[in-house]
Amino acid sequence: MQFEYTLQQDNRAQVGLIVLQADETVEDDFRTLLPASLNLLVNRVPSGLDVTPETLRETASHLTQAARLFPQGLSMNAVGFACTSASAQIGNEAVADTVRRGTETDHVTNPLCALIAACKALNLNRLALLSPYVESVSDQLRNALKGAGIVTPVFGTFAESEEALVARISALSIERATRALCKGAPVDGVFLSCTNLRTLPVLKSLGADLQLPVLSSNLVLAWHLWHLAQPETAPQTPLDMTPHSL
């Protein structure tokens, strides 16, 4: 038996996300953070078992192919590359150029680019930075922020090089480290780096306790993608994300 059918248009904004193979966190966070008015499409790129500047830079060679795997003929409103440290290693412009070789999109962003935009929206220029990775991996991120006028006078790390363990770092560990890092620190905000770090459950409580804006890679990236894809509905800053999101 054969049936006739009709077609309907999907009028939602189309948002693409390119995720590291090893990331277990960012997609779940985005389901919490983004509204139903955005259609989120996700592709992955290979990533190393250990996190080093070399393995991070290697992801650039896979971005175009990952972007090509979004549905053909679908014009993306915005595409994000979900790796903070790799974005710092590769560079914002290079990330955008490489993604655009694979898909038609109005905008490309990443956590570094999104953090700079968030700091501008919140008027922040002195951040406490907590990273799961060894200091050599985070040096380029700190330098990139400095180049954008954002200094990181205090830096803390869990000194973990194995990507699979980053998603296992407990919320309690993140809270304790952040409080210790910010104690007496001359900062006007906090950034918890890495899309694989499970930061979302602690952002609100840490912000209230520290009386500081507390940002994370996934929070700023979700906000910036929303802002780029659907500016008429997006919150003004990451801290204005709707209550059900946080």
Side-chain angles (χ1 to χ4, degrees), residues 157-172:
T157 175
F158 293 115
E160 182 53 61
S161 62
E162 188 176 341
E163 184 65 66
L165 294 180
V166 171
R168 306 286 175 265
I169 295 174
S170 69
L172 180 60

Side-chain angles (χ1 to χ4, degrees), residues 3-245:
F3 298 94
E4 294 184 355
Y5 60 87
T6 60
L7 300 177
Q8 61 184 25
Q9 294 295 323
D10 187 348
N11 295 318
R12 294 175 296 171
Q14 305 296 320
V15 172
L17 191 65
I18 299 175
V19 179
L20 296 189
Q21 179 182 0
D23 198 308
E24 303 176 37
T25 304
V26 64
E27 290 152 301
D28 199 31
D29 282 359
F30 270 46
R31 293 185 190 103
T32 301
L33 290 166
L34 292 180
S37 59
L38 301 180
N39 185 32
L40 179 65
L41 303 169
V42 180
N43 290 334
R44 287 183 176 255
V45 292
S47 55
L49 297 177
D50 293 328
V51 180
T52 68
E54 292 74 25
T55 60
L56 290 168
R57 286 192 292 269
E58 174 62 22
T59 62
S61 65
H62 303 288
L63 288 177
T64 298
Q65 180 59 27
R68 287 195 181 112
L69 293 176
F70 290 119
Q72 293 186 8
L74 188 66
S75 180
M76 309 296 288
N77 295 82
V79 174
F81 171 45
C83 184
T84 315
S85 297
S87 297
Q89 293 290 334
I90 300 165
N92 289 336
E93 290 187 8
V95 168
D97 290 345
T98 306
V99 169
R100 284 196 171 99
R101 293 191 200 116
T103 190
E104 179 183 346
T105 182
D106 297 329
H107 304 282
V108 178
T109 187
N110 63 71
L112 170 60
C113 183
L115 176 60
I116 293 169
C119 286
K120 183 176 180 181
L122 291 163
N123 195 28
L124 305 178
N125 54 35
R126 297 180 66 83
L127 295 179
L129 174 62
L130 179 65
S131 169
Y133 302 124
V134 294
E135 191 165 353
S136 61
V137 169
S138 299
D139 285 344
Q140 187 62 29
L141 173 60
R142 299 179 75 188
N143 289 336
L145 290 172
K146 186 177 181 180
I150 303 164
V151 296
T152 53
V154 289
F155 169 74
T157 175
F158 293 115
E160 182 53 61
S161 62
E162 188 176 341
E163 184 65 66
L165 294 180
V166 171
R168 306 286 175 265
I169 295 174
S170 69
L172 180 60
S173 298
I174 296 168
E175 288 181 307
R176 285 176 174 172
T178 303
R179 290 191 178 96
L181 188 65
C182 293
K183 188 175 182 179
V187 297
D188 52 20
V190 185
F191 180 58
L192 309 179
S193 182
C194 184
T195 60
N196 204 15
L197 196 64
R198 298 189 188 278
T199 59
L200 200 58
V202 303
L203 294 181
K204 189 173 182 179
S205 61
L206 278 174
D209 290 349
L210 298 172
Q211 293 297 293
L212 289 170
V214 180
L215 306 173
S216 71
S217 292
N218 291 348
L219 180 67
V220 298
L221 182 57
W223 166 77
H224 202 220
L225 273 172
W226 188 354
H227 180 77
L228 293 172
Q230 203 174 58
E232 66 277 9
T233 67
Q236 289 189 328
T237 77
L239 301 183
D240 299 320
M241 301 290 264
T242 53
H244 79 273
S245 299

